[in-house]
Amino acid sequence: MKENERTVTSILSMNPGCQAQYVLQRMIGASISNDLFTRFYNSKWMEIIKSEQQEDGSFGRFHTMDSSVKKRIPTTERAVDSIKYLLLPRGNDFVDKLCLYMENILSKSLPWPDGFEQNKYYKAAQPLFVAAKLSVFGSQNKEFHSLFNTWHTILSESFSSGEYSKDRNNEVAKELLGTEIDDSYIGLHSIYTIEFFSNTQASLEAPLKEAYLHWLHTNNRSIHYTNINFTFIDNYTFSDLFRVLFLLSKFSCFKKEFNDMVIRIESEADEKGLWNYGKKFAGPKISDDWRTVDKMTIDHTLLTKMILP
């Protein structure tokens, strides 16, 4: 607690911009004043994101970019990824429209905008892509919960013995999804299944979460859609790991499984409880720019603290 207080004090002493102020207040559970929310919601980066949202709540294609169209936010997936680190929840026009659009895709009230790829996984992948991004905000949508129940069953049965079973995974996935999924881009080590489960982890049983994270940590497979293989975790920088750790850290057993990584990240803070990884850091920005060291330090610190338990 004292370490967190020291970090908060250090950030506030650096005169953070409205985006960083908003994120900090959300992280520490403080109330957000109407003035702060208005400044944040109308900030430069939020205005850019909002300006590219279409009337139906989408950003054009959902998963696959259209190379013929030049946009700052090329897909609806990218829009979700752009704002999830800003911790903007439901309750505003932008997010509410975005969530309703994703719910309408799941309920098939609106068509899938990307077309369908010619591989055996895509029919099952398409709703998973949507549910993973919708899970960032939560949903009471019937189809969303039905999809969670399906994937929860696949996860539970795959670890029914306490350890991962490739055969059981494929058997249950074949029954429920129509295709085997082990070691595929929608397998249990896909960034999409990880995101879906990370945001719904409160509904997973504790032993199941522990078995799942241990498997992700030790199975010597790369996380699909990333180049991360945790068997070689010491070979990666925090910048390399950020996208995956951000999701895994949502699991209640994260610190238990990844304690060595937590200790390593904590040790990289300076004497003020702040982090700065330099311009090579490939994670997202919270502030509009990193033209000053202070802005970069504030953003890197907030992003780091999102991961540390």
Side-chain angles (χ1 to χ4, degrees):
M1 183 62 70
K2 288 183 178 180
E3 290 298 312
N4 288 336
E5 291 175 357
R6 181 180 62 157
T7 298
V8 170
T9 300
S10 296
I11 289 175
L12 292 176
S13 71
M14 299 165 73
N15 192 28
C18 60
Q19 297 103 310
Q21 289 181 47
Y22 175 84
V23 170
L24 177 61
Q25 296 301 308
R26 291 272 294 144
M27 289 176 67
I28 65 177
S31 60
I32 307 293
S33 68
N34 290 336
D35 173 66
L36 175 57
F37 180 79
T38 299
R39 288 187 290 120
F40 162 76
Y41 195 67
N42 296 321
S43 60
K44 179 181 176 181
W45 180 227
M46 279 301 303
E47 285 295 328
I48 290 172
I49 299 172
K50 289 187 296 181
S51 71
E52 299 209 349
Q53 187 177 39
Q54 299 181 10
E55 188 60 33
D56 63 1
S58 77
F59 287 74
R61 289 190 179 180
F62 192 92
H63 173 73
T64 307
M65 289 187 292
D66 183 349
S67 59
S68 68
V69 178
K70 303 300 181 184
K71 297 174 63 181
R72 289 286 296 271
I73 313 293
T75 64
T76 301
E77 267 189 16
R78 290 287 188 89
V80 175
D81 289 342
S82 295
I83 65 170
K84 68 185 180 185
Y85 305 109
L86 299 176
L87 309 184
L88 181 63
R90 287 175 180 260
N92 55 84
D93 289 344
F94 171 74
V95 173
D96 289 347
K97 283 176 64 176
L98 178 59
C99 289
L100 180 59
Y101 173 74
M102 291 188 281
E103 289 169 344
N104 283 336
I105 291 181
L106 287 183
S107 63
K108 299 184 179 178
S109 300
L110 288 174
W112 175 244
D114 295 21
F116 288 86
E117 296 178 10
Q118 298 301 310
N119 65 71
K120 66 180 182 178
Y121 306 112
Y122 201 75
K123 184 177 180 181
Q126 176 261 311
L128 176 63
F129 294 154
V130 179
K133 298 308 173 183
L134 181 57
S135 70
V136 171
F137 308 101
S139 177
Q140 297 303 313
N141 175 268
K142 179 177 67 175
E143 287 76 18
F144 176 84
H145 285 280
S146 176
L147 199 62
F148 169 76
N149 290 336
T150 295
W151 281 95
H152 184 194
T153 299
I154 294 170
L155 183 68
S156 298
E157 290 297 321
S158 300
F159 289 92
S160 57
S161 68
E163 296 183 355
Y164 177 76
S165 167
K166 171 183 175 179
D167 292 339
R168 187 61 182 144
N169 174 264
N170 281 330
E171 180 182 358
V172 177
K174 180 73 172 178
E175 177 184 344
L176 297 180
L177 302 176
T179 183
E180 298 180 348
I181 63 170
D182 177 74
D183 207 22
S184 75
Y185 69 85
I186 59 169
L188 294 181
H189 59 310
S190 163
I191 197 70
Y192 290 94
T193 47
I194 293 171
E195 182 157 33
F196 193 18
F197 287 131
S198 73
N199 290 317
T200 56
Q201 65 91 29
S203 298
L204 302 178
E205 302 80 4
L208 179 59
K209 287 186 280 191
E210 292 179 4
Y212 183 41
L213 254 66
H214 183 67
W215 177 74
L216 290 172
H217 193 181
T218 61
N219 68 14
N220 197 23
R221 298 183 184 187
S222 294
I223 305 297
H224 269 285
Y225 292 96
T226 80
N227 64 348
I228 300 300
N229 181 328
F230 282 116
T231 304
F232 308 104
I233 195 167
D234 290 338
N235 295 341
Y236 302 109
T237 66
F238 180 73
S239 174
D240 298 327
L241 295 168
F242 176 79
R243 183 185 179 196
V244 179
L245 291 181
F246 177 79
L247 301 177
L248 296 181
S249 65
K250 296 176 184 292
F251 287 90
S252 56
C253 52
F254 170 72
K255 184 175 182 180
K256 177 181 178 181
E257 180 61 42
F258 288 90
N259 189 53
D260 289 348
M261 174 54 61
V262 169
I263 292 172
R264 172 180 149 187
I265 295 170
E266 289 176 337
S267 71
E268 294 174 349
D270 66 17
E271 67 280 359
K272 295 181 179 179
L274 301 171
W275 287 260
N276 188 317
Y277 304 101
K279 293 182 179 180
K280 293 183 179 180
F281 178 67
K285 287 183 173 70
I286 294 172
S287 304
D288 286 334
D289 60 69
W290 288 347
R291 292 175 184 169
T292 68
V293 173
D294 280 359
K295 283 185 177 181
M296 184 187 296
T297 299
I298 289 169
D299 281 14
H300 291 186
T301 299
L302 290 172
L303 294 167
T304 303
K305 293 300 285 186
M306 288 180 190
I307 289 172
L308 295 176

